[in-house]
Amino acid sequence: SHRSGDMLNLASHSSAGLAPAPLGGAEVWELARELARAVDELEQRQAQACDLRLPLFRLLGLTVAAGPEGVVVSQAGQSLGLRPQALNRPAGELEAQGLLRREVDPADGRARRLRATPAGAARLEPGRRLEGDLLARIAQAIPQAAVARLVLQRLVEAATKA
């Protein structure tokens, strides 16, 4: 099992002209699983830094990312892998804290739209800083991001065809 430090060592050996040993499919898959765990852990740390439970952090993040137009509840549910009804409670909690507003969708009077408030966007700043720090470390550890992007895209394609 490789640790993230080992991945950085592989990158540094490669940049020093030493080719790393080729990885088999099982090793690549294990590294992908470790990456997924690291992303999950980062998201947990981001939620904690923003003083939000993870489901609230995810919903608020999605709403902020949607911009001023906000997001229709059914679309938010689809993006988060939840039934729209499952978002009622977390949206209500965020609304009670003044972090988002629930409004009738002007395009469809039956639908509800979620819009982040300025306080909601500000609440996510500590999490954004954590993500920015990570992105800076990635840029430093992987000098050829295009190669990493291609490898990850191919891995996603192979995994989704399974």
Side-chain angles (χ1 to χ4, degrees):
S1 169
H2 295 305
R3 293 276 174 247
S4 59
D6 293 337
M7 288 173 56
L8 295 178
N9 288 340
L10 286 176
S12 65
H13 286 305
S14 180
S15 63
L18 302 173
L23 297 176
E27 291 172 291
V28 170
W29 186 244
E30 181 57 30
L31 286 170
R33 292 171 60 113
E34 286 186 36
L35 177 59
R37 284 189 293 272
V39 168
D40 288 345
E41 289 170 12
L42 171 65
E43 194 176 34
Q44 285 283 358
R45 286 194 314 274
Q46 287 178 293
Q48 289 170 354
C50 297
D51 196 27
L52 290 168
R53 292 190 332 274
L54 188 56
L56 300 180
F57 173 77
R58 287 178 174 157
L59 180 57
L60 184 58
L62 180 71
T63 306
V64 168
E69 290 296 311
V71 62
V72 176
V73 171
S74 60
Q75 293 169 333
Q78 186 176 10
S79 293
L80 296 170
L82 299 169
R83 292 187 341 271
Q85 298 87 340
L87 297 180
N88 285 334
R89 190 167 144 254
E93 288 183 50
L94 291 169
E95 188 174 40
Q97 294 181 45
L99 303 176
L100 66 73
R101 293 186 318 272
R102 290 187 282 188
E103 305 170 350
V104 173
D105 184 0
D108 177 357
R110 299 166 298 164
R112 292 277 180 183
R113 186 169 283 275
L114 305 175
R115 296 182 202 271
T117 64
R123 183 74 167 267
L124 293 180
E125 280 307 311
R128 283 203 179 105
R129 283 192 295 275
L130 285 173
E131 187 173 359
D133 292 347
L134 171 65
L135 294 176
R137 288 194 310 272
I138 288 171
Q140 202 170 34
I142 303 174
Q144 295 181 338
V147 174
R149 183 183 325 107
L150 178 62
V151 169
L152 291 171
Q153 285 171 336
R154 295 250 172 99
L155 183 58
V156 168
E157 289 168 9
T160 55
K161 288 179 184 175

